Amino acid sequence: MSKARIIISAIVMMAIYVLSSCDTVNEENRLIYVKPASVARNVLIEDFTGQRCVNCPNATDEIEHLQQFYGADTVIAVGIHSGPFAKTSRGVPYSLYTEEGDEYFNYWRVESQPKGVIDRKGTSEYPTWSSLVREELSFTAPVSLSATTEYTDETRELRVVVNSEGIDGNTTGNLQVWLIENGIVDFQYMPDGSVNREYTHNHVFRRSVNGTWGTAYNITEGQRRDDSFTCTLDEGWKPENMAVVVFVYNNAGVQQVIQVPVK
């Protein structure tokens, strides 16, 4: 037998050995589904407030207390200046008032201020917020959210990309993207009846990026999706003091909420 044939025979025998030594894997066992890891739920507080509301600073203090205890990225607050206390006695809106905020105010049938909505599960008084927040934090989120922002100084254009992953079951509802601003110095009526003209307003609702009620949303367990939005910031808003609040909600309430800085 020639040397070339010997080499070819050896290669063939080796291939037969390798193939015969491999275990046969059933088709159904080749891909094993791994459930996504559970995700802790953050909490959204919609604080219906106004500059003529003398007790509203007490609600703000309660929010700051909760954020100091749990973290400002865990308890996410949005101050919605709306209703009669966000306007003069003659009905002229103050600078922090928004028409969208009034839509939310009317939807929730807010009868007095301050009033809050925790994870979109009905209105509540600020002394109860601590227990309500603690209860919401005991749940896990059926969806994981993250977001990135791109802001252009010259055009004041902001692009927001929201990344989602389904964690548990099927989540259907709406995806909402809001802009808030911190560090706004303006007047505020105080609990003692005085007027503080150097009051610092934080987490002030500025506008919705994707409509008053958001974008229709659906995601299944293990699925990933990306949503992109753009808007232009108003003159006078300070992008370095602003954040984007992103949340998914449905009839059962807010399923998850996050916030990221504009820049």
Side-chain angles (χ1 to χ4, degrees), residues 238-254:
K238 298 180 179 179
E240 64 273 15
N241 292 344
M242 300 185 71
V244 178
V245 174
V246 179
F247 61 98
V248 172
Y249 73 96
N250 53 31
N251 291 336
V254 173

Side-chain angles (χ1 to χ4, degrees), residues 45 57-67 126-130:
I45 300 179
N58 292 331
T60 299
D61 290 344
E62 178 63 17
I63 288 173
E64 291 179 355
H65 169 75
L66 290 168
Q67 290 183 329
Y126 70 86
T128 68
W129 291 355
S130 179

Side-chain angles (χ1 to χ4, degrees), residues 82-124:
S82 53
F85 289 136
K87 305 174 184 177
T88 68
S89 57
R90 295 183 179 182
V92 179
Y94 295 129
S95 61
L96 303 184
Y97 165 89
T98 63
E99 291 185 359
E100 277 183 306
D102 242 15
E103 285 193 60
Y104 301 130
F105 179 92
N106 293 325
Y107 174 82
W108 291 107
R109 300 180 181 178
V110 178
E111 296 179 352
S112 62
Q113 290 170 281
K115 193 79 76 176
V117 176
I118 310 297
D119 271 351
R120 298 213 152 174
K121 294 184 177 180
T123 58
S124 57

